[in-house]
Amino acid sequence: MPLNRRTFLQMSALLTGGLALNLYETPIAAAQSGQPVQPDLSPRAFIHIAADGTITLMAKNPEIGQGVKTMLPMLLAEELDADWSTIHIQQADLDESHYGRQFAGGSMATPLNWDPLRRVGAACRQMLISVAAQRWSVPVSDCTTAPNRVLHATSGRSFTYAELATDAARLTPPPLASVQLKDPRDYRIIGKSQPNVDRLSIVTGKPLYGIDITVPGMLHAVIEKCAVFGGKVKSCNQAAIQKLPGVRHVLVLEGTLATNPVVSSDPGIEPGVAILADTWWQAQSARSKLKIEWDLGTGATQSTDAFAKRAAELFQAPPANTIHTAGDVDAALKSAAKVVEATYAYPFIAHATLEPQNTTASFKDGKLEIWTTSQAPGGGRKMVASALKIPADAITIHLTRTGGAFGRRLMNDYMVEAAWLTKQVGVPVKLLWSREDDFGHDAYRPGGFHSFKAGLDAHGKLIAWRQHLVTYGVGDHYASSAGISADEFPSGHVENFGLYATAMPLRLRTGPLRAPGSNALAFVAQSFLDEVAAAAGRDPLEFQLDLRGNSSNHSDRLSNVLALAAERSSWAKRTHTPGKGMGIACYACHLGFFAEVAAVTVDEKNRITVNHIWVVGDIGSQIINPAAAENMVYGAVIDGLSQMAQEITLDEGRIQQTNYNQHPVLHMRQTPAIEAFFLKSDNPPTGLGEPALPPLLPAVANAVFAATGKRIRTLPLSRSGFSFA
Amino acid sequence: MPPQQLKVNNTIHTIDVAPDTPLLWILRDILDLKGTKYGCGIGSCGACTVLISGRPARACQTRLDEVGTNPVTTIEGLSLDGTHPVQLAWQQVDVAQCGYCQAGQIMAASALLASNPHPTDAQIDAAMSSNICRCGTYPRIRQAIHQAAESAAKK
Ligand code: FES
Ligand code: FES
């Protein structure tokens, strides 16, 4: 399926602002053209069949909790016709010449690999069959396979793959485009739940993650950075720190921050002071004795309150940029029978991956070896090469399992820092950020402000939609993940439409957070649409279906999931009891189409209990690993609920939140019942890491309105007078 | 300070570090037991949960000199091969997403089941709610705890 322009823009938005991210555009363009992305992928790179029968499949992409270390090998195994229960999975190192693009981002693993990896498996199967056919002197077409065996049905003979592997390895692999793929009805592995391949290592505490890497002779590093973004070290008590127990080196980092007016998501190394010690705790303890005089730079005047004030002023002025218009929105608003107006806002938030940022690096004899949790290691390698002025091919990168990523690890700052440190000191270095470093030096999901006006005609039909986004950036160059695209819904569905933006300068890193852009834009537009429906005296589901052009031919994937979500949640039968309410919302992003219904109870102190969430998604014709997919939906719902209570604020340029106690993750006791349904459609399978999240927030906000008559127009909840019970 | 003795997973180690060093960093970087995880360092995430004398404790908030002679159990000591009922249930239910929080979750759950073999949902919530899962695996954690309780009852 071609990516539509909106998805492509979102991907581009996700991918701009960093060297790492340019690397994505090629595969996305290829996916868009419908061609196999890597026609030169070889089965040899992915599949190893040993003489003892052991089959090892390479897991090519970074595993960040989204399940690709299990799911991508399933694609290989299915078409190879391998016995999944005996398969070994090995994490691949970074080697894009053999594996194709290796990144975790944009929910792209499925769309980019669904076709090529199945073909790699099928090509290998074809090679095994041709060896067997030759040995039996029978036509290839007379041979079939059963798990791990080639069969000749008429004679009853068979070979195990192990018996054929050595000879098969000598053959030239067939062109991937030529191989025959299975009829999906014959799948034995795809579509059947396969548990996480690392489950035993996880439950027994094996060293799997970046933070668990140990390299002989390594030093442990921490880096103290300025509380104000980009602040430089004027002076530091280096000599005193050097004498503390276990401390081996104290280094002042000048930093390599680019001086662009809009800070990119991965702008280079921030200045600071690095302490390298025998143990991490020694390095971290020494850090508390640091006395640094900082040159704070221009960021020190920024505050969240000032941004909000400025946004309110900007709403009174004509917008700086026109994103998209249709008809004459201002005239239509003037002539409308009813006008609905509201202002929405959402804060900066942090990624807060549970495993803090880290990388281990070892520089020796001009060669650099790296163990990292990066989501975009290919781009990281380029950044390291240019920062250290060494050739990219002198850098080996090992990918570790990662304790969550959510977009944070698309940025490779910590990788460059570790590489720089090992080159400076000549021994291996394990850099581990503290939790406070992580909250204080993230590339935050940018906050934003939206002013809406909608016009209804005398029949309650939406005839005008005006939306003005006040965001961050300079001119029409927006900070990473802070823009909006011309086809943001309801663009194209309202006769008179105006979408505008005005940017405020910001000296802070922003970047993609799970469902970038969408995680905020769904909240504002789907909540305001609920207001408009209420003003029109309409049921919000029917209002939205009408707007989307509720066609009976089931062509609109969002309308279909909306209808099913309504059915599963008994939307039509909901009762109207004070303090109890249901809300509905939908959104499409990252090639996924999701509708969600929330049922909440709100007590007299405005404490919200989320009782039930129904999720219906259309991500194509196959749910490759159903139980894992369900788990991913639970995660998206819980993440979305967490986002409703989180904020990162700035005061005098300093981030105010330092740890989870100030930027909470939802707790188990606050977790609702969640039901996930997939509506299979006649489209190629697409990704699930992101698209289930955005509709959650407006569904809950709309449910709170149904329960209380009060709108949540500003997040976090506390700024609208609400909290989770 | 003279070296101190520390009993971890039934083995006594002699530890020669500053007595105020958190148990977490002794486990991870001195004893090379990497299963216990660092998440927040302030006692608010539960990733570092271990058992001290059978009771759940935050290894990041427990100094070496506070452990004394009390025995410490980490995820590596729960069973030799992942066959503790909680570990088995965790695998069967396929709880993990990234898996980073799960050692702490499993230690907290094993302590809960040791004191309350058949917890209700509300009791599970109460016992487990200070362990964060950033990936949101709570529904599966709850399910796995019930499953572990059932399988232990059958034995
Ligand atoms: S690391 Fe100890 S509670 Fe978070
Ligand atoms: S599984 Fe990732 S934090 Fe729990």
Side-chain angles (χ1 to χ4, degrees):
Chain A
M1 176 182 60
L3 284 91
N4 64 28
R5 189 167 148 273
R6 160 173 180 69
T7 314
F8 188 73
L9 285 173
Q10 283 186 332
M11 284 303 301
S12 314
L14 181 135
L15 304 175
T16 49
L19 185 52
L21 306 173
N22 299 336
L23 294 178
Y24 295 16
E25 286 167 14
T26 315
I28 291 162
Q32 199 170 18
S33 73
Q35 295 301 312
V37 174
Q38 294 283 335
D40 54 341
L41 291 182
S42 166
R44 271 187 206 99
F46 289 91
I47 301 168
H48 304 271
I49 304 178
D52 69 355
T54 310
I55 300 180
T56 304
L57 302 179
M58 302 306 287
K60 65 186 277 271
N61 278 8
E63 172 60 65
I64 58 175
Q66 84 285 44
V68 287
K69 192 174 175 183
T70 307
M71 187 274 277
L72 293 178
M74 286 170 68
L75 304 180
L76 294 165
E78 179 67 66
E79 292 290 346
L80 174 61
D81 214 359
D83 177 1
W84 182 258
S85 67
T86 62
I87 285 282
H88 292 249
I89 308 287
Q90 196 180 319
Q91 176 68 56
D93 286 345
L94 177 68
D95 181 357
E96 296 190 320
S97 66
H98 280 109
Y99 300 118
R101 296 300 181 209
Q102 292 173 276
F103 69 93
S107 297
M108 292 306 280
T110 301
L112 292 182
N113 292 290
W114 166 250
D115 193 65
L117 285 195
R118 283 183 307 141
R119 288 180 183 280
V120 166
C124 186
R125 175 174 173 271
Q126 191 173 313
M127 290 157 81
L128 293 160
I129 288 178
S130 71
V131 172
Q134 207 168 16
R135 285 197 200 159
W136 291 323
S137 302
V138 301
V140 162
S141 56
D142 284 3
C143 301
T144 56
T145 56
N148 288 7
R149 309 179 79 79
V150 178
L151 312 174
H152 185 245
T154 40
S155 67
R157 287 174 293 184
S158 76
F159 282 117
T160 65
Y161 285 178
E163 291 168 318
L164 302 166
T166 314
D167 286 349
R170 295 199 188 99
L171 301 179
T172 306
L176 291 189
S178 75
V179 299
Q180 181 85 34
L181 294 173
K182 279 186 181 177
D183 183 324
R185 278 174 300 200
D186 297 332
Y187 285 163
R188 301 179 216 263
I189 298 168
I190 291 174
K192 319 274 184 296
S193 296
Q194 312 295 349
N196 186 331
V197 295
D198 280 336
R199 62 194 179 281
L200 180 60
S201 299
I202 289 170
V203 305
T204 52
K206 293 285 180 304
L208 277 175
Y209 301 88
I211 197 174
D212 302 335
I213 295 292
T214 304
V215 176
M218 72 184 188
L219 293 176
H220 295 258
V222 296
I223 302 176
E224 173 81 4
K225 292 171 187 157
C226 187
V228 177
F229 173 76
K232 291 195 173 127
V233 181
K234 274 208 259 182
S235 68
C236 159
N237 58 339
Q238 222 167 335
I241 301 300
Q242 188 85 52
K243 294 196 195 91
L244 295 171
V247 174
R248 302 285 170 161
H249 303 273
V250 183
L251 304 171
V252 174
L253 278 74
E254 292 293 328
T256 60
L257 287 185
T259 50
N260 305 327
V262 180
V263 180
S264 76
S265 61
D266 214 356
I269 302 186
E270 279 188 65
V273 177
I275 302 175
L276 288 80
D278 293 337
T279 70
W280 190 79
W281 186 250
Q282 287 172 324
Q284 178 73 355
S285 304
R287 190 176 173 177
S288 61
K289 308 277 181 343
L290 270 172
K291 291 198 178 75
I292 303 174
E293 201 189 334
W294 297 102
D295 171 0
L296 299 175
T298 55
T301 56
Q302 302 179 119
S303 82
T304 305
D305 293 345
F307 285 132
K309 241 194 212 149
R310 181 75 188 129
E313 288 163 16
L314 289 168
F315 283 145
Q316 303 311 314
N321 306 316
T322 298
I323 308 290
H324 184 65
T325 58
D328 185 338
V329 72
D330 293 323
L333 283 169
K334 265 191 207 121
S335 67
K338 197 169 197 179
V339 172
V340 190
E341 279 186 68
T343 303
Y344 280 74
Y346 44 83
F348 290 84
I349 53 182
H351 294 82
T353 61
L354 194 55
E355 179 187 9
Q357 313 318 318
N358 65 81
T359 289
T360 302
S362 175
F363 186 77
K364 209 177 161 197
D365 304 328
K367 298 247 183 263
L368 180 64
E369 194 169 3
I370 290 176
W371 293 260
T372 189
T373 55
S374 175
Q375 288 177 257
R381 170 150 60 193
K382 286 198 171 182
M383 286 180 70
V384 169
S386 87
L388 271 58
K389 303 190 173 49
I390 61 173
D393 60 12
I395 305 170
T396 302
I397 298 188
H398 308 288
L399 308 179
T400 67
R401 195 177 178 86
T402 293
F406 313 105
R408 174 61 183 87
R409 300 185 216 262
L410 290 168
M411 282 65 80
N412 284 299
D413 41 346
Y414 46 88
M415 194 202 295
V416 183
E417 290 168 353
W420 189 83
L421 290 173
T422 181
K423 186 153 181 269
Q424 290 300 305
V425 301
V427 297
V429 172
K430 176 171 175 174
L431 169 73
L432 171 61
W433 288 26
S434 70
R435 174 54 55 199
E436 290 78 8
D437 295 332
D438 187 52
F439 271 102
H441 300 274
D442 197 355
Y444 306 93
R445 190 287 297 271
F449 308 84
H450 295 251
S451 161
F452 288 99
K453 265 188 200 178
L456 295 164
D457 71 10
H459 309 288
K461 181 173 180 256
L462 181 63
I463 53 161
W465 179 285
R466 186 185 194 280
Q467 180 171 357
H468 179 190
L469 160 67
V470 170
T471 182
Y472 299 95
V474 174
D476 60 359
H477 182 188
Y478 305 109
S480 173
S481 297
I484 191 165
S485 73
D487 52 1
E488 186 67 35
F489 185 82
S491 179
H493 296 264
V494 188
E495 214 180 305
N496 302 289
F497 181 83
L499 179 58
Y500 310 94
T502 304
M504 304 184 277
L506 174 71
R507 178 114 181 105
L508 189 70
R509 290 167 74 191
T510 61
L513 169 74
R514 191 180 202 168
S518 312
N519 56 38
L521 298 176
F523 161 66
V524 296
Q526 288 285 305
S527 298
F528 183 63
L529 190 68
D530 199 81
E531 295 201 41
V532 177
R538 301 280 313 278
D539 176 279
L541 169 68
E542 281 162 23
F543 192 76
Q544 175 138 222
L545 286 172
D546 279 355
L547 190 58
R548 290 185 181 277
N550 188 15
S551 55
S552 49
N553 63 8
H554 297 280
S555 61
D556 184 62
R557 296 172 77 180
L558 273 178
S559 297
N560 295 342
V561 291
L562 269 171
L564 186 57
E567 184 191 316
R568 295 294 165 135
S569 62
S570 306
W571 173 259
K573 294 198 202 98
R574 69 195 190 283
T575 52
H576 298 272
T577 322
K580 274 181 172 302
M582 285 171 76
I584 191 163
C586 68
Y587 203 74
C589 64
H590 297 90
L591 309 175
F593 301 78
F594 278 79
E596 302 185 22
V597 174
V600 307
T601 308
V602 185
D603 71 13
E604 66 289 345
K605 290 195 171 128
N606 282 347
R607 286 177 303 209
I608 303 165
T609 301
V610 182
N611 301 306
H612 208 124
I613 303 286
W614 293 266
V615 181
V616 178
D618 172 0
I619 50 169
S621 60
Q622 286 287 338
I623 304 302
I624 298 168
N625 195 1
E630 182 186 61
N631 209 359
M632 192 61 30
V633 170
Y634 295 163
V637 166
I638 291 165
D639 199 353
L641 291 169
S642 295
Q643 284 187 9
M644 296 186 85
Q646 295 169 338
E647 70 174 329
I648 288 288
T649 55
L650 282 160
D651 187 26
E652 295 185 348
R654 291 159 172 82
I655 303 293
Q656 301 298 291
Q657 293 73 19
T658 60
N659 214 311
Y660 288 111
N661 53 345
Q662 296 158 319
H663 187 278
V665 169
L666 201 78
H667 285 179
M668 183 188 279
R669 63 172 184 76
Q670 300 168 312
T671 302
I674 305 167
E675 286 183 68
F677 305 96
F678 291 102
L679 183 61
K680 291 190 185 162
S681 66
D682 190 17
N683 293 287
T686 50
L688 186 54
E690 305 179 271
L693 187 147
L696 182 279
L697 293 91
V700 171
N702 295 341
V704 169
F705 172 75
T708 64
K710 292 179 210 156
R711 290 285 174 191
I712 294 168
R713 297 195 184 96
T714 302
L715 289 178
L717 293 175
S718 57
R719 291 194 184 256
S720 294
F722 288 89
S723 65
F724 285 129
Chain B
M1 277 297 281
Q4 292 192 40
Q5 303 231 298
L6 181 67
K7 189 173 177 191
V8 179
N9 300 336
N10 287 319
T11 305
I12 295 180
H13 301 271
T14 303
I15 308 288
D16 190 7
V17 299
D20 62 352
T21 305
L23 176 61
L24 172 63
W25 298 104
I26 295 169
L27 294 171
R28 289 188 55 83
D29 290 346
I30 310 283
L31 301 180
D32 199 30
L33 293 168
K34 298 287 202 271
T36 306
K37 293 295 192 263
Y38 167 58
C40 68
I42 62 162
S44 78
C45 78
C48 67
T49 306
V50 296
L51 306 182
I52 300 181
S53 296
R55 278 190 293 276
R58 302 284 201 235
C60 73
Q61 296 301 293
T62 311
R63 298 150 39 129
L64 174 61
D65 54 8
E66 289 169 338
V67 182
T69 56
N70 297 307
V72 177
T73 308
T74 70
I75 186 78
E76 292 91 343
L78 201 56
S79 72
L80 287 176
D81 47 6
T83 53
H84 184 283
V86 174
Q87 289 170 315
L88 287 175
W90 242 250
Q91 293 176 72
Q92 285 153 6
V93 172
D94 199 19
V95 172
Q97 287 183 36
C98 82
Y100 192 79
C101 71
Q102 301 298 346
Q105 307 279 4
I106 288 170
M107 297 314 283
S110 69
L112 165 66
L113 289 172
S115 66
N116 179 357
H118 290 286
T120 61
D121 273 346
Q123 288 167 331
I124 292 174
D125 284 1
M128 301 297 294
S129 268
S130 48
N131 282 69
I132 288 174
C133 176
R134 173 68 181 86
C135 299
T137 62
Y138 302 129
R140 294 265 170 100
I141 292 173
R142 210 187 264 158
Q143 189 189 339
I145 292 174
H146 284 306
Q147 184 155 323
E150 273 165 38
S151 73
K154 277 194 206 120
K155 280 204 181 135

